[in-house]
């Protein structure tokens, strides 16, 4: 799989010189996260993409009912299946520094090893299978997910998270987005 950008004439939008809709959406992004990640600067080339991402991401964070650590497990699973090294690094940093994902769980996810927390393992397995099967996990996987304490409603919010991460993962593939310094310590090979 190529790591070269597929877009060649588009470049990151500089917030300082952005105008119109691009400036408006970058202003919103800056207000939400406190800086403009390289991913956002690229996505702003199509403001609807960044706007949809920010809106869906915010709704998943605020309405899913999943704990912050569980949300990171979801985002990491999607990003790994989609082979997005940018989002895997970014969400690894958030998992470690913000969301309280236990260190052994984060290490296991990043190393593609068994996850020591059974509930988070069921969540990760379900999300991974949902992405791999285009939303058609096996009945056994769903049963394990429900038995771990999750609900069918949680499955719908996972669909939202998959949609949001697909926007960012595929945009990063299109641009071969350079990792921000803020996430550099979590770079993946």
């Amino acid at each position: 799989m190529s790591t070269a950008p597929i877009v060649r004439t588009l470049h990151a939008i500089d917030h300082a010189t952005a105008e119109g809709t691009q400036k408006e959406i970058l202003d919103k992004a800056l207000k939400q996260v406190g800086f403009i990640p390289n991913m956002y600067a690229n996505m702003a080339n199509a403001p609807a993409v960044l706007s949809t991402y920010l809106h869906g991401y915010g709704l998943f964070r605020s309405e899913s009912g999943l704990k912050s650590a569980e949300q990171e497990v979801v985002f990491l699973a999607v990003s790994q299946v989609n082979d997005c090294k940018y989002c895997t690094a970014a969400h690894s940093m958030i998992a470690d520094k913000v969301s309280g994902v236990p260190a052994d769980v984060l290490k296991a996810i990043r190393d593609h090893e068994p996850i020591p927390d059974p509930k988070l393992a069921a969540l990760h397995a379900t999300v991974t299978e949902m992405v791999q099967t285009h939303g058609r996990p096996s009945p056994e996987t769903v049963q394990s997910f429900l038995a771990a304490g999750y609900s069918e409603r949680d499955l719908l919010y996972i669909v939202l998270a998959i949609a949001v991460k697909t926007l960012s993962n595929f945009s990063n593939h299109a641009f071969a987005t350079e990792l921000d310094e803020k996430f550099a310590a979590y770079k993946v090979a």
Side-chain angles (χ1 to χ4, degrees):
M1 194 175 311
S2 174
T3 58
I6 62 170
V7 294
R8 304 225 183 263
T9 60
L10 299 177
H11 304 284
I13 303 298
D14 182 353
H15 182 233
T17 59
E19 296 178 349
T21 308
Q22 289 175 329
K23 178 162 179 32
E24 290 171 20
I25 195 62
L26 287 172
D27 286 346
K28 181 178 179 178
L30 180 63
K31 188 179 287 188
Q32 286 183 3
V33 298
F35 78 110
I36 303 293
N38 292 335
M39 179 181 90
Y40 290 8
N42 289 336
M43 292 170 87
N45 277 281
V49 173
L50 181 54
S51 178
T52 300
Y53 174 82
L54 293 173
H55 182 73
Y57 184 90
L59 289 173
F60 177 74
R61 287 288 195 190
S62 67
E63 292 185 13
S64 72
L66 295 173
K67 295 175 184 159
S68 187
E70 293 169 319
Q71 293 174 356
E72 292 310 326
V73 169
V74 171
F75 287 144
L76 283 164
V78 177
S79 297
Q80 282 184 318
V81 173
N82 286 334
D83 194 31
C84 182
K85 296 182 184 340
Y86 181 97
C87 286
T88 300
H91 284 288
S92 292
M93 187 280 291
I94 296 168
D96 185 34
K97 303 293 185 192
V98 179
S99 297
V101 173
D104 60 342
V105 169
L106 180 57
K107 181 181 183 326
I109 291 170
R110 288 175 55 89
D111 293 345
H112 303 278
E113 295 176 354
I115 297 171
D117 179 301
K119 186 172 184 182
L120 294 177
L123 175 63
H124 188 272
T126 301
V127 175
T128 297
E129 190 171 318
M130 285 182 72
V131 177
Q132 291 171 335
T133 64
H134 310 286
R136 296 180 185 101
S138 71
E140 297 79 17
T141 297
V142 173
Q143 184 53 43
S144 294
F145 177 77
L146 297 173
Y150 294 105
S151 70
E152 289 182 349
R153 180 181 175 273
D154 294 329
L155 290 169
L156 292 176
Y157 277 99
I158 289 170
V159 171
L160 173 60
I162 291 168
V164 165
K165 278 293 103 189
T166 299
L167 285 170
S168 62
N169 295 165
F170 287 16
S171 295
N172 288 326
H173 295 326
F175 282 91
T177 305
E178 183 179 330
L179 195 60
D180 299 270
E181 185 59 36
K182 187 174 212 141
F183 310 132
Y186 298 88
K187 183 177 180 177
V188 291

